[in-house]
Amino acid sequence: MHLNHKRTLLVILIVFVACTMLFAQPVGETKKPKRVGIISAMDTEIELLLSEAEIERVDEIGGLNFNVGKLCGDDVVIVKAGIGKVYACAGAAAMFNNYDIDYVIFTGVAGGVGDDTHVLDMVIATDLVSHDYGTITDEGFYWRDEYSEDTKGRIYCDPNLVDVAVLSAKQVLGESRVFTGTIVTGDQFISSSKYVKQLQEQFNALACEMEGASVAAICRMYNIPCVVIRTMSDKADGVARETYEFMMDVAADNSCHVVMKMLEYI
Ligand code: ADE
């Protein structure tokens, strides 16, 4: 058999096994419809999803609008939580305290870190780090790896959801635009070529944003599988703000298209 065919068959087999393990129902249990929680930081990051969804009702909780309905045949709760770790955590916790959520997809945009990721590429987080968690001393800032003690500061996404995201993203965006690896989170918009280089060197990061690690941490506390998917809106460099303003809507829609493809598999 041709090598390419063998590779394709192998990839299909791995994804099939991953989906079977992820979504299999134990024998004898009645089938509860699964519900996917979709969280973003900004309106533009869920606009396309809301326009495609059948929203049954909007619940206002803690000043946030939780859109409850169906998207691509799945039950969903969609919320824009706000920008930064505090709002992202509050949104995630409010969602988990009020709805029965089986999986979480965080969707949105990010700044590309390093030479490999370009604007409109997608990074799917295998793990996340809170890069601004630490101690300030007279000698400078020291990052603390105790944020999640057992994993040395890294918070891992659900590997099966990562596989589904990768498969979906490759179908939607093409193989060469999809990356998996570390995403770093902090309460700053990064627009500095010096700092972004530091993020790459210290954490081997592929992207930086402002919510992912905190939502992944809350998902871990509630034992809910999650994945963070981000399309690059800029390069987190000296011109990041300008690039971001110009690219964020199309980048946000990119991620939404991948979310909808993922729902076909979930
Ligand atoms: N989200 C999109 N671009 C970003 C950047 N450069 N820094 C932090 N969050 C972002």
Side-chain angles (χ1 to χ4, degrees), residues 5 33 52 64 94 106 109 111 129 153 164 167 174 177 181-182 191-192 195 200 205 211 220 223 231 257 263:
H5 286 149
E52 296 288 324
L64 297 177
F106 192 103
V109 303
V129 168
V164 174
L167 174 79
R177 306 213 76 129
T182 302
S191 185
S192 154
Y195 193 73
Q200 185 196 11
E211 299 83 18
R220 211 169 86 115
N223 212 11
T231 300
H257 283 296
L263 294 178

Side-chain angles (χ1 to χ4, degrees), residues 70-124:
K70 279 201 176 289
L71 179 60
C72 305
D74 281 334
D75 287 333
V76 290
V77 180
I78 305 173
V79 68
K80 176 216 70 175
I83 297 173
K85 291 190 284 187
V86 168
Y87 294 104
C89 283
M95 179 184 272
F96 304 156
N97 288 333
N98 286 281
Y99 306 95
D100 207 1
I101 299 292
D102 298 289
Y103 309 104
V104 167
I105 304 172
F106 192 103
T107 180
V109 303
V113 177
D115 296 333
D116 295 340
T117 50
H118 300 104
V119 172
L120 295 187
D121 285 350
M122 169 164 276
V123 176
I124 295 157

Side-chain angles (χ1 to χ4, degrees), residues 21-41:
M21 282 166 65
L22 182 59
F23 308 118
Q25 192 70 27
V27 180
E29 256 183 40
T30 47
K31 204 166 155 70
K32 163 176 89 65
K34 57 200 164 320
R35 192 184 249 167
V36 183
I38 300 171
I39 308 177
S40 79

